[in-house]
Amino acid sequence: EDQVTQSPEALRLQEGESSSLNCSYTVSGLRGLFWYRQDPGKGPEFLFTLYSAGEEKEKERLKATLTKKESFLHITAPKPEDSATYLCAVQAWGSQGNLIFGKGTKLSVKP
Amino acid sequence: EAQVTQNPRYLITVTGKKLTVTCSQNMNHEYMSWYRQDPGLGLRQIYYSMNVEVTDKGDVPEGYKVSRKEKRNFPLILESPSPNQTSLYFCASSPRDTYNEQFFGPGTRLTVL
C-alpha cells in the first residue's frame, strides 16, 4: 500500500533557526513527489515537484530534495511568515491523477 | 482573477438530506479533484477527473458522487449524508500537463448532525 509519513508533526523554531522537515514514502513506483504549504483556514498552495532521486528545487528560503525513500524540505533562516503546515504528496506510476498526501508538519516560527 | 470557487463555504445539515457542494474554476483546467481534510487523518482524495466526462475514485469515495459535464464545474454530491462525512472539503484544479501542481479552492466546512 502506498503511503506517506511526515515528521515531525509539529516544529517550533526561532526566527533565523534553520531546520528540515521530512517526508518518507512507500510507493510502488514514484512518478512524482510534491510539496504544498497550507495556511490556517485556506486551501493548500503548491510549492515544488520532484521527479527523481538527487533532484533539488529552491524557492526563497525553502529547498526541497529527494532520495529514493524520502524527501526533505529545508528551511533556511526562517521568518514568522513561513509559519504554516507543510504537506507532502506522492503519485505512483499508473495511478493517473491519484495523489496521496501525508498528514503534514505544522511549522511555527517565533520572532 | 484565476481562482477555484466553492459553494457553500459553510453548511450544517442533517443526516440523510441530499446536498451538493459546487466547485468551479475559471482557468480552463482539464484536471479537477475533491479532497476531505480531517484532524489526524490529513488530506484524502475522494474523486478526481482528468477531463470532461472522465472521473475516477480516489482513496475515500464511499458515500460520494461526482459528475463532470462541463470543463469548469465539478460538483460533489452527498446523496444521504452521515455524521462521519462531517469534514473540511477542498476542490482543486490544474492543467493536464502539470496536474500535480494543483490550485485549491477555499474549502467548504460541512457538519452533518
Side-chain angles (χ1 to χ4, degrees):
Chain A
E1 181 183 345
D2 300 335
Q3 67 179 32
V4 177
T5 303
Q6 292 188 246
S7 61
E9 290 185 13
L11 181 61
R12 291 187 176 184
L13 299 174
Q14 288 296 126
E15 184 172 2
E17 179 187 2
S18 301
S19 188
S20 297
L21 282 54
N22 177 263
C23 171
S24 63
Y25 61 89
T26 304
V27 67
S28 49
L30 182 70
R31 183 170 185 177
L33 184 142
F34 319 99
W35 283 97
Y36 284 80
R37 168 190 170 129
Q38 186 175 22
D39 293 302
K42 295 188 176 182
E45 177 184 347
F46 171 78
L47 293 173
F48 302 111
T49 300
L50 301 167
Y51 289 111
S52 56
E55 189 173 359
E56 299 181 351
K57 294 275 180 72
E58 283 190 72
K59 181 179 180 179
E60 296 181 355
R61 294 176 293 282
L62 300 178
K63 179 179 177 181
T65 62
L66 180 65
T67 73
K68 290 187 177 180
K69 294 184 177 180
E70 58 192 349
S71 176
F72 292 93
L73 185 65
H74 307 277
I75 303 175
T76 302
K79 298 182 178 181
E81 52 262 42
D82 293 323
S83 297
T85 296
Y86 291 86
L87 303 173
C88 172
V90 299
Q91 188 199 11
W93 282 105
S95 68
Q96 289 271 352
N98 182 219
L99 294 188
I100 299 171
F101 279 83
K103 296 178 183 179
T105 293
K106 184 175 182 179
L107 175 65
S108 299
V109 182
K110 302 300 181 184
Chain B
E1 180 190 353
Q3 60 183 350
V4 177
T5 57
Q6 296 179 225
N7 282 293
R9 294 289 314 280
Y10 303 90
L11 178 61
I12 300 175
T13 188
V14 295
T15 299
K17 186 176 181 182
K18 182 178 179 179
L19 66 91
T20 298
V21 183
T22 65
C23 173
S24 183
Q25 50 93 6
N26 62 1
M27 296 168 278
N28 201 37
H29 286 166
E30 290 83 7
Y31 177 92
M32 297 187 75
S33 183
W34 275 104
Y35 298 87
R36 61 177 289 174
Q37 189 171 41
D38 302 288
L41 295 176
L43 201 64
R44 293 178 293 169
Q45 194 171 39
I46 303 171
Y47 271 95
Y48 61 94
S49 169
M50 300 297 289
N51 214 328
V52 175
E53 301 292 359
V54 179
T55 63
D56 210 344
K57 297 178 181 179
D59 297 312
V60 288
E62 293 77 20
Y64 304 94
K65 286 178 61 176
V66 293
S67 67
R68 186 90 183 275
K69 294 182 172 56
E70 304 169 282
K71 198 172 188 178
R72 63 181 295 129
N73 297 322
F74 190 42
L76 180 69
I77 303 158
L78 286 73
E79 295 207 326
S80 184
S82 61
N84 64 13
Q85 293 178 298
T86 293
S87 187
L88 179 59
Y89 291 86
F90 288 102
C91 179
S93 75
S94 62
R96 179 180 55 201
D97 292 342
T98 57
Y99 60 80
N100 299 301
E101 300 175 12
Q102 298 180 27
F103 293 81
F104 279 78
T108 294
R109 186 164 292 281
L110 172 66
T111 301
V112 183
L113 301 175

